[in-house]
Amino acid sequence: MNLHKSDNPIFQRLRFVLVNTSRPGNIGAAARAMKTMGFSELVLVNPRFPDPANEPEAVAFASGALDILQSARIVGSVEEALEGCNFAAAVSARLREFSPPIVAPRALAAQLAGDAALHAAFLFGNERFGLPNEAVQKCNVLINIPANPAYSSLNLAQAVQVLAYECRTATPATPVLAPSGAEIGFQGMNADVTQIDGMFAHLEQALVAIEFLDPESPKKLMPRLKRLFSRTQLETEEVNILRGIARQILALKNKATQ
Protein backbone atom coordinates (compact mmCIF):
# COMPACT_ATOMS: atom_id res chain seq x y z
CA MET A 1 0.00 0.00 0.00
CA ASN A 2 1.34 3.42 -0.94
CA LEU A 3 1.30 6.02 1.82
CA HIS A 4 1.15 9.76 1.32
CA LYS A 5 2.51 12.39 3.69
CA SER A 6 -0.95 13.08 5.08
CA ASP A 7 -1.50 9.37 5.83
CA ASN A 8 1.49 9.16 8.15
CA PRO A 9 2.82 12.64 8.98
CA ILE A 10 6.41 13.18 9.92
CA PHE A 11 5.37 14.29 13.43
CA GLN A 12 4.51 10.66 14.15
CA ARG A 13 7.60 9.19 12.48
CA LEU A 14 10.52 11.26 13.74
CA ARG A 15 12.48 10.60 16.93
CA PHE A 16 15.01 12.92 18.57
CA VAL A 17 17.85 11.09 20.31
CA LEU A 18 20.26 12.88 22.67
CA VAL A 19 23.42 10.89 23.37
CA ASN A 20 25.41 11.33 26.60
CA THR A 21 23.94 14.75 27.36
CA SER A 22 25.74 16.38 30.30
CA ARG A 23 23.56 19.43 31.04
CA PRO A 24 19.95 18.89 32.16
CA GLY A 25 19.11 22.38 30.92
CA ASN A 26 19.93 21.33 27.37
CA ILE A 27 17.55 18.40 27.64
CA GLY A 28 14.77 20.70 28.82
CA ALA A 29 15.51 23.25 26.08
CA ALA A 30 15.54 20.47 23.47
CA ALA A 31 12.13 19.30 24.68
CA ARG A 32 10.83 22.84 24.29
CA ALA A 33 12.31 23.14 20.80
CA MET A 34 10.62 19.90 19.78
CA LYS A 35 7.23 20.85 21.15
CA THR A 36 7.16 24.25 19.44
CA MET A 37 7.51 22.43 16.12
CA GLY A 38 5.01 19.68 16.92
CA PHE A 39 7.32 16.75 17.73
CA SER A 40 7.11 14.64 20.86
CA GLU A 41 9.34 11.54 20.80
CA LEU A 42 12.49 12.19 22.82
CA VAL A 43 14.98 9.46 23.72
CA LEU A 44 17.99 9.97 26.01
CA VAL A 45 21.02 7.71 25.80
CA ASN A 46 22.96 7.56 29.08
CA PRO A 47 22.35 11.15 30.21
CA ARG A 48 24.68 12.37 32.95
CA PHE A 49 21.70 12.87 35.25
CA PRO A 50 19.59 9.70 35.62
CA ASP A 51 16.27 11.52 36.11
CA PRO A 52 16.38 14.76 34.08
CA ALA A 53 12.62 15.25 34.34
CA ASN A 54 13.12 16.08 38.01
CA GLU A 55 16.17 18.28 37.56
CA PRO A 56 15.23 21.93 38.29
CA GLU A 57 17.37 23.21 35.41
CA ALA A 58 15.72 20.86 32.90
CA VAL A 59 12.25 21.77 34.15
CA ALA A 60 13.04 25.49 33.92
CA PHE A 61 14.38 25.27 30.38
CA ALA A 62 11.52 23.04 29.20
CA SER A 63 9.08 25.85 30.06
CA GLY A 64 5.73 24.69 28.60
CA ALA A 65 7.09 21.37 27.33
CA LEU A 66 7.13 19.39 30.57
CA ASP A 67 5.04 16.67 28.93
CA ILE A 68 7.81 16.03 26.39
CA LEU A 69 10.46 16.03 29.11
CA GLN A 70 8.52 13.70 31.41
CA SER A 71 7.70 11.23 28.65
CA ALA A 72 11.31 11.00 27.41
CA ARG A 73 12.65 7.44 27.36
CA ILE A 74 16.05 6.75 28.90
CA VAL A 75 18.04 3.92 27.31
CA GLY A 76 21.51 2.49 27.73
CA SER A 77 22.75 2.38 24.14
CA VAL A 78 22.38 3.93 20.71
CA GLU A 79 21.19 0.55 19.39
CA GLU A 80 18.32 0.58 21.87
CA ALA A 81 17.49 4.19 20.98
CA LEU A 82 17.19 3.28 17.30
CA GLU A 83 14.90 0.29 17.77
CA GLY A 84 11.88 0.62 15.48
CA CYS A 85 13.64 3.10 13.16
CA ASN A 86 14.57 2.27 9.58
CA PHE A 87 16.53 5.49 9.00
CA ALA A 88 18.97 7.38 11.20
CA ALA A 89 20.77 10.69 10.75
CA ALA A 90 23.75 11.85 12.81
CA VAL A 91 23.96 15.57 13.52
CA SER A 92 27.50 16.90 13.73
CA ALA A 93 29.49 20.02 12.96
CA ARG A 94 32.59 17.83 12.77
CA LEU A 95 33.00 16.03 9.47
CA ARG A 96 34.45 12.52 9.58
CA GLU A 97 36.81 10.86 7.11
CA PHE A 98 34.69 7.72 6.96
CA SER A 99 31.27 9.17 7.58
CA PRO A 100 28.02 8.28 5.82
CA PRO A 101 26.88 10.64 3.04
CA ILE A 102 26.59 14.27 4.12
CA VAL A 103 23.23 15.99 3.60
CA ALA A 104 21.84 19.45 4.32
CA PRO A 105 18.94 19.75 6.80
CA ARG A 106 16.44 21.10 4.26
CA ALA A 107 17.09 18.37 1.71
CA LEU A 108 16.78 15.65 4.33
CA ALA A 109 13.63 17.19 5.80
CA ALA A 110 12.00 17.09 2.38
CA GLN A 111 12.99 13.44 1.97
CA LEU A 112 11.63 12.45 5.38
CA ALA A 113 8.39 14.39 4.97
CA GLY A 114 7.84 12.96 1.51
CA ASP A 115 8.36 9.28 2.33
CA ALA A 116 5.79 7.98 4.80
CA ALA A 117 7.61 4.64 5.02
CA LEU A 118 10.57 6.22 6.80
CA HIS A 119 10.61 6.04 10.60
CA ALA A 120 13.61 8.19 11.33
CA ALA A 121 15.80 9.31 14.21
CA PHE A 122 18.07 12.33 14.59
CA LEU A 123 21.10 11.67 16.80
CA PHE A 124 22.69 14.54 18.72
CA GLY A 125 25.92 14.12 20.66
CA ASN A 126 27.40 15.34 23.90
CA GLU A 127 27.72 19.13 24.23
CA ARG A 128 31.50 19.01 24.44
CA PHE A 129 32.56 15.96 22.45
CA GLY A 130 29.72 15.47 19.97
CA LEU A 131 28.79 12.04 18.68
CA PRO A 132 31.31 9.21 18.90
CA ASN A 133 32.38 7.71 15.57
CA GLU A 134 30.71 4.40 16.33
CA ALA A 135 27.35 6.17 16.72
CA VAL A 136 27.83 8.08 13.46
CA GLN A 137 28.64 4.86 11.63
CA LYS A 138 25.27 3.42 12.60
CA CYS A 139 23.52 6.21 10.69
CA ASN A 140 22.46 6.44 7.07
CA VAL A 141 23.52 10.07 6.67
CA LEU A 142 25.44 12.80 8.43
CA ILE A 143 23.67 16.15 8.79
CA ASN A 144 25.85 19.21 8.66
CA ILE A 145 23.99 22.44 9.49
CA PRO A 146 25.34 25.28 7.31
CA ALA A 147 26.95 27.83 9.60
CA ASN A 148 29.84 30.25 9.92
CA PRO A 149 32.94 28.19 9.01
CA ALA A 150 34.95 30.09 11.61
CA TYR A 151 32.49 29.16 14.37
CA SER A 152 30.07 26.41 13.37
CA SER A 153 29.26 24.88 16.76
CA LEU A 154 25.60 25.22 17.75
CA ASN A 155 24.16 24.74 21.19
CA LEU A 156 22.47 21.33 21.44
CA ALA A 157 18.95 22.74 21.75
CA GLN A 158 19.61 25.17 18.89
CA ALA A 159 20.54 22.27 16.63
CA VAL A 160 17.36 20.44 17.66
CA GLN A 161 15.35 23.58 16.88
CA VAL A 162 16.88 24.01 13.42
CA LEU A 163 16.13 20.43 12.38
CA ALA A 164 12.65 20.38 13.92
CA TYR A 165 11.85 23.62 12.10
CA GLU A 166 13.09 22.31 8.74
CA CYS A 167 11.01 19.15 9.13
CA ARG A 168 7.92 21.13 10.07
CA THR A 169 8.22 23.49 7.11
CA ALA A 170 8.69 20.51 4.78
CA THR A 171 5.18 19.30 5.62
CA PRO A 172 1.97 20.62 4.04
CA ALA A 173 0.77 23.86 5.59
CA THR A 174 -1.76 23.60 8.40
CA PRO A 175 -4.11 26.36 9.58
CA VAL A 176 -2.99 28.47 12.52
CA LEU A 177 -5.24 27.79 15.51
CA ALA A 178 -5.97 29.81 18.60
CA PRO A 179 -5.72 28.10 22.03
CA SER A 180 -9.49 27.55 21.81
CA GLY A 181 -9.00 25.54 18.61
CA ALA A 182 -10.55 28.18 16.37
CA GLU A 183 -8.73 29.03 13.15
CA ILE A 184 -6.92 32.37 13.21
CA GLY A 185 -7.31 34.68 10.25
CA PHE A 186 -10.20 35.09 7.80
CA GLN A 187 -10.15 33.31 4.46
CA GLY A 188 -13.01 34.09 2.10
CA MET A 189 -13.99 32.38 -1.13
CA ASN A 190 -11.87 33.22 -4.15
CA ALA A 191 -13.72 35.19 -6.81
CA ASP A 192 -14.35 33.38 -10.09
CA VAL A 193 -13.36 34.61 -13.53
CA THR A 194 -16.82 35.98 -14.35
CA GLN A 195 -16.94 38.04 -11.16
CA ILE A 196 -13.47 39.46 -11.77
CA ASP A 197 -14.22 40.31 -15.41
CA GLY A 198 -17.40 42.10 -14.32
CA MET A 199 -15.41 44.06 -11.75
CA PHE A 200 -12.86 45.17 -14.35
CA ALA A 201 -15.61 46.30 -16.73
CA HIS A 202 -17.27 48.26 -13.92
CA LEU A 203 -13.95 49.76 -12.82
CA GLU A 204 -13.13 50.77 -16.38
CA GLN A 205 -16.45 52.64 -16.65
CA ALA A 206 -15.68 54.53 -13.45
CA LEU A 207 -12.16 55.46 -14.57
CA VAL A 208 -13.52 56.76 -17.87
CA ALA A 209 -16.20 58.74 -16.03
CA ILE A 210 -13.65 60.60 -13.90
CA GLU A 211 -11.40 61.02 -16.97
CA PHE A 212 -8.55 59.03 -15.46
CA LEU A 213 -8.78 56.68 -18.44
CA ASP A 214 -9.07 58.03 -21.98
CA PRO A 215 -11.02 55.46 -24.01
CA GLU A 216 -9.52 56.89 -27.21
CA SER A 217 -6.02 56.32 -25.90
CA PRO A 218 -6.22 53.69 -23.11
CA LYS A 219 -2.62 52.63 -23.50
CA LYS A 220 -1.97 49.76 -21.08
CA LEU A 221 -3.80 50.99 -18.00
CA MET A 222 -6.36 48.20 -17.78
CA PRO A 223 -3.91 45.36 -18.54
CA ARG A 224 -1.63 46.73 -15.85
CA LEU A 225 -4.49 46.92 -13.35
CA LYS A 226 -5.44 43.34 -14.21
CA ARG A 227 -1.85 42.28 -13.66
CA LEU A 228 -1.80 44.07 -10.31
CA PHE A 229 -5.02 42.47 -9.09
CA SER A 230 -4.06 39.03 -10.39
CA ARG A 231 -1.30 38.94 -7.79
CA THR A 232 -3.79 39.41 -4.95
CA GLN A 233 -6.05 36.35 -5.50
CA LEU A 234 -9.18 38.43 -5.08
CA GLU A 235 -12.00 37.08 -2.95
CA THR A 236 -15.68 37.51 -3.79
CA GLU A 237 -16.22 40.06 -1.02
CA GLU A 238 -13.22 42.08 -2.21
CA VAL A 239 -14.59 42.13 -5.76
CA ASN A 240 -17.92 43.38 -4.39
CA ILE A 241 -16.13 46.17 -2.49
CA LEU A 242 -14.31 47.33 -5.63
CA ARG A 243 -17.54 47.25 -7.62
CA GLY A 244 -19.20 49.25 -4.86
CA ILE A 245 -16.46 51.89 -5.18
CA ALA A 246 -16.94 52.00 -8.95
CA ARG A 247 -20.72 52.26 -8.51
CA GLN A 248 -20.33 55.18 -6.12
CA ILE A 249 -17.94 56.98 -8.48
CA LEU A 250 -20.43 56.64 -11.33
CA ALA A 251 -23.33 57.80 -9.14
CA LEU A 252 -21.44 60.92 -8.00
CA LYS A 253 -20.37 61.68 -11.56
CA ASN A 254 -23.94 61.40 -12.84
CA LYS A 255 -25.16 63.63 -10.02
CA ALA A 256 -22.52 66.23 -10.79
CA THR A 257 -23.53 66.41 -14.45
CA GLN A 258 -27.24 66.82 -13.79
Side-chain angles (χ1 to χ4, degrees):
M1 180 178 67
N2 291 326
L3 292 174
H4 299 288
K5 287 186 285 189
S6 58
D7 298 321
N8 195 13
I10 193 172
F11 306 104
Q12 300 171 11
R13 298 184 283 106
L14 183 57
R15 181 181 304 172
F16 290 76
V17 178
L18 310 186
V19 181
N20 300 327
T21 312
S22 62
R23 291 293 302 271
N26 283 332
I27 296 175
R32 180 178 183 179
M34 289 171 56
K35 186 167 183 176
T36 60
M37 295 296 116
F39 297 95
S40 60
E41 189 173 2
L42 176 62
V43 178
L44 309 174
V45 179
N46 293 322
R48 180 180 175 187
F49 294 85
D51 189 13
N54 288 315
E55 289 290 334
E57 186 180 274
V59 172
F61 279 79
S63 190
L66 283 178
D67 53 334
I68 308 298
L69 181 62
Q70 292 169 351
S71 63
R73 289 193 296 119
I74 298 178
V75 299
S77 67
V78 170
E79 290 84 358
E80 191 177 352
L82 295 180
E83 286 180 1
C85 294
N86 56 15
F87 189 93
V91 182
S92 177
R94 180 165 59 91
L95 303 181
R96 323 293 172 102
E97 185 178 0
F98 297 104
S99 77
I102 299 170
V103 295
R106 190 158 299 173
L108 181 58
Q111 178 186 352
L112 297 180
D115 189 345
L118 290 178
H119 292 262
F122 287 154
L123 270 67
F124 302 81
N126 173 273
E127 296 93 330
R128 183 176 178 185
F129 302 108
L131 281 169
N133 288 331
E134 52 268 27
V136 174
Q137 290 166 5
K138 296 181 186 300
C139 296
N140 301 87
V141 295
L142 177 68
I143 301 175
N144 185 244
I145 299 174
N148 177 6
Y151 188 66
S152 60
S153 178
L154 272 73
N155 169 271
L156 174 58
Q158 291 173 338
V160 170
Q161 186 77 78
V162 168
L163 291 172
Y165 169 80
E166 290 292 352
C167 289
R168 182 174 185 85
T169 56
T171 62
T174 55
V176 179
L177 302 179
S180 63
E183 186 172 339
I184 297 175
F186 175 79
Q187 179 65 48
M189 292 184 60
N190 287 343
D192 60 33
V193 173
T194 301
Q195 291 171 324
I196 292 175
D197 285 345
M199 179 208 73
F200 279 124
H202 209 164
L203 184 59
E204 185 173 5
Q205 292 176 27
L207 294 176
V208 170
I210 61 174
E211 299 181 1
F212 189 85
L213 172 64
D214 181 358
E216 300 299 324
S217 180
K219 298 183 179 179
K220 296 186 181 298
L221 177 60
M222 292 311 297
R224 286 189 178 278
L225 286 176
K226 289 180 180 180
R227 183 168 178 264
L228 183 155
F229 282 114
S230 69
R231 297 198 297 270
T232 67
Q233 295 183 328
L234 286 167
E235 298 172 359
T236 298
E237 186 63 26
E238 293 165 345
V239 165
N240 291 338
I241 291 172
L242 291 169
R243 294 199 72 164
I245 295 171
R247 188 179 302 112
Q248 185 68 11
I249 290 173
L250 290 170
L252 291 173
K253 183 67 176 178
N254 289 336
K255 184 177 180 180
T257 56
Q258 289 178 357

